Amino acid sequence: MSKRRLDELDQKIVEVLAEDARTSNRKIAAELGVTEGTVRGRIKRMEDEGQIRITAVTNIDHLRNPTLAYIWIEVDSAAEVKAVAQALADTPQIGFVAVTLGRFDILAITLVQNNGQLADFLNTKVSVIPGVRRTECSLGVTFVKHDYRMSKILG
């Protein structure tokens, strides 16, 4: 199946849902000047084709002591990067995994409550993954901007 690109209407629907995924199809339709059935059909198609996923996201502003932990991972060999990245992605506590270029091979991001919790997580979940050579952490201590959508794709 070939990947269908989002057209202008699809993108407008996604923009509305990105602001509030609970917005009714009727309201989206009225705002965009199309029928409710058109909006419903487009959302269903985008979901079915894996182009969007509507989900609830924790607002970290309401957590007691959130610390965003950036875990930089060096892997033993280039051949192991994909397997290590997938093992990290399969770890429920990790919300973001990317294979990177530069000093480290992988970046994983998680939220922790304190340094002890981070140390335990690194020792029991990350460092035990076959192929992980070493880790280094950076901690986000003050949130200047946190957009759970990560970033908008520039058109």
Side-chain angles (χ1 to χ4, degrees), residues 6-21 23 28 31-32 43 46 52 148-149 152-155:
L6 300 181
D7 66 17
E8 187 176 339
L9 181 57
D10 292 336
Q11 290 174 5
K12 287 179 180 178
I13 292 169
V14 170
E15 286 175 15
V16 172
L17 292 173
E19 288 300 317
D20 183 355
T23 304
I28 296 170
E31 185 176 320
L32 300 180
I43 291 171
M46 288 187 286
I52 65 170
Y148 54 87
R149 296 170 296 168
K152 284 192 168 190
I153 297 173
L154 300 176

Side-chain angles (χ1 to χ4, degrees), residues 7-64:
D7 66 17
E8 187 176 339
L9 181 57
D10 292 336
Q11 290 174 5
K12 287 179 180 178
I13 292 169
V14 170
E15 286 175 15
V16 172
L17 292 173
E19 288 300 317
D20 183 355
R22 297 173 300 171
T23 304
S24 71
N25 292 346
R26 180 177 298 174
K27 184 174 180 183
I28 296 170
E31 185 176 320
L32 300 180
V34 297
T35 68
E36 183 179 356
T38 297
V39 171
R40 183 175 42 257
R42 294 232 180 186
I43 291 171
K44 180 171 179 3
R45 177 186 45 80
M46 288 187 286
E47 285 180 308
D48 290 348
E49 293 179 359
Q51 294 173 314
I52 65 170
R53 181 180 60 179
I54 298 174
T55 184
V57 178
T58 303
N59 183 343
I60 64 172
D61 293 335
H62 296 286
L63 297 176
R64 204 170 320 133

Side-chain angles (χ1 to χ4, degrees), residues 56-108:
V57 178
T58 303
N59 183 343
I60 64 172
D61 293 335
H62 296 286
L63 297 176
R64 204 170 320 133
N65 296 308
T67 300
L68 199 58
Y70 298 86
I71 306 168
W72 301 93
I73 298 131
E74 187 177 319
V75 178
D76 285 331
S77 72
E80 296 174 289
V81 170
K82 188 174 182 179
V84 171
Q86 188 58 57
L88 291 162
D90 292 342
T91 304
Q93 298 91 338
I94 295 177
F96 177 89
V97 177
V99 174
T100 61
L101 297 174
R103 182 174 172 195
F104 292 94
D105 301 301
I106 300 170
L107 169 63

